Amino acid sequence: MAGSAATVGVLALQGDVREHAALLASLGAEAVLVRRPAELAEVDGLVIPGGESSVIDKLSRIFGMQEPIRTAIADGMPMLGTCAGLIMLADNVTDAIEGQESFGGLDVVVRRNAFGRQVESFEAELDVPELDGGPVRAAFIRGPVVESVGPAASTLASLPDGRVVAVEQGSLLGLSFHPEITGETRFHERFLARVTARKSRLR
């Protein structure tokens, strides 16, 4: 598997941490929970899970993780952000609570809770040309939407109405939805391929 030699962290401050760790392990990666800067320094890539972005932001500062993650992004560490994780990787966030910050890295503007309340969650089929194997079944749970994509980033998937829900830029991959709860593995595989490629380059 692509992740067989990779140690991948899941930011374990809040959110659906266990689901990501289980999926990564099923793909052959060594999945570890990351809460402290010293733990981040030991991994080859990082997943930022769904949850509540304002809480993840607040806890990342309490645990001293904000600047180490920003530094890791600048250094090219591959990262996958889903739902709240996409918000945390966005350079600009609209509808943020007062004082809310992101890690940044993706040249996009993201709107929080763009699909409404949790009771308005839904699933959709997405066409993702970069992925083989047919459409992606995507679950949206109080998810964000990418309102604009800057020149440094690229769109991977959009809803039929044109709203962008998956983007990438260099070693960063951001999704509005939750592949870890629908059994969709291809985005994690794409992420792990980048992790192992970077690990090989750094040897």
Side-chain angles (χ1 to χ4, degrees):
M1 287 292 182
S4 59
T7 301
V8 179
V10 180
L11 187 63
L13 300 177
Q14 190 259 348
D16 56 340
V17 174
R18 288 178 296 177
E19 292 85 349
H20 280 287
L23 179 52
L24 290 165
S26 76
L27 294 173
E30 180 184 354
V32 299
L33 305 187
V34 171
R35 297 184 182 90
R36 305 285 184 182
E39 295 163 343
L40 179 66
E42 297 299 316
V43 301
D44 304 307
L46 184 69
V47 173
I48 305 173
E52 176 50 60
S53 60
S54 60
V55 175
I56 294 172
D57 167 43
K58 192 173 298 183
L59 291 175
S60 74
R61 287 186 264 175
I62 291 171
F63 280 78
M65 290 295 292
Q66 184 189 68
E67 288 307 319
I69 290 175
R70 286 176 172 172
T71 298
I73 290 169
D75 288 344
M77 178 184 283
M79 296 195 188
L80 166 64
T82 62
C83 199
L86 165 62
I87 296 170
M88 294 305 300
L89 288 176
D91 283 344
N92 295 285
V93 180
T94 59
D95 282 353
I97 68 168
E98 184 177 354
Q100 182 174 347
E101 299 179 12
S102 65
F103 302 134
L106 284 171
D107 183 17
V108 296
V109 178
V110 168
R111 180 174 295 279
R112 295 173 70 240
N113 299 341
F115 298 107
R117 298 172 298 167
Q118 188 149 341
V119 294
E120 297 168 286
S121 301
F122 66 98
E123 293 191 9
E125 296 268 318
L126 302 177
D127 180 36
V128 188
E130 294 288 334
L131 300 181
D132 295 329
V136 165
R137 188 72 180 169
F140 294 84
I141 304 171
R142 293 179 63 240
V145 70
V146 179
E147 294 206 320
S148 66
V149 180
S154 58
T155 299
L156 280 179
S158 301
L159 290 167
D161 63 10
R163 288 181 291 179
V164 176
V165 292
V167 292
E168 65 181 351
Q169 179 178 332
S171 59
L172 304 179
L173 179 58
L175 313 174
S176 296
F177 47 92
H178 291 268
E180 74 284 357
I181 67 172
T182 58
E184 173 58 61
T185 64
R186 287 171 286 174
F187 291 102
H188 287 74
E189 290 168 0
R190 188 175 182 86
F191 162 68
L192 287 174
R194 292 179 177 172
V195 172
T196 53
R198 181 173 183 266
K199 183 180 176 72
S200 297
R201 289 196 305 269
L202 294 177
R203 280 177 180 165

